[in-house]
Amino acid sequence: ILCLQLSGGCELTVVLRDFTAGCSTELSVSTGQTVELLERPTERPGWCLVRTTDRSPPQEGLVPSSTLCVSHSRSSVEMDGFFSSGKGRRNIFS
């Protein structure tokens, strides 16, 4: 799970679970896919407008924010704890 803030102000985020679009304004995404977070529309709470980074041409659409690693869904302290515990697990197996 990785959230990146780009210098241009756009945020790259990783899809945490599959989502299948239910209408033309939504976008189907797959677990592990990287997408660019464009907007959190106020008229659709709990949804994010994203653009694909792995398709040509890129596709845009709405996905539930719960399917994404978005910065407002976890505090930085929790993310620090997640990454710390992840490093510990890797050391055990290495």
Side-chain angles (χ1 to χ4, degrees):
I1 302 171
L2 182 62
C3 299
L4 300 173
Q5 187 70 36
L6 301 181
S7 57
C10 293
E11 185 178 344
L12 285 181
T13 187
V14 174
V15 177
L16 300 177
R17 63 173 179 262
D18 293 351
F19 171 72
T20 303
C23 66
S24 62
T25 58
E26 297 173 2
L27 180 67
S28 295
V29 291
S30 303
T31 303
Q33 184 178 358
T34 302
V35 294
E36 187 178 358
L37 179 59
L38 302 176
E39 185 184 351
R40 295 181 178 111
T42 53
E43 70 276 6
R44 293 282 303 262
W47 291 77
C48 294
L49 178 63
V50 300
R51 178 189 297 139
T52 58
T53 60
D54 59 351
R55 299 178 193 167
S56 185
Q59 295 176 296
E60 292 183 13
L62 293 167
V63 297
S65 55
S66 60
T67 64
L68 302 175
C69 171
V70 289
S71 54
H72 73 268
S73 66
R74 290 186 172 91
S75 73
S76 58
V77 172
E78 287 172 330
M79 289 307 288
D80 287 346
F82 175 84
F83 286 122
S84 296
S85 63
K87 289 176 186 163
R89 281 198 294 274
R90 279 196 292 276
N91 291 340
I92 292 170
F93 293 114
S94 60

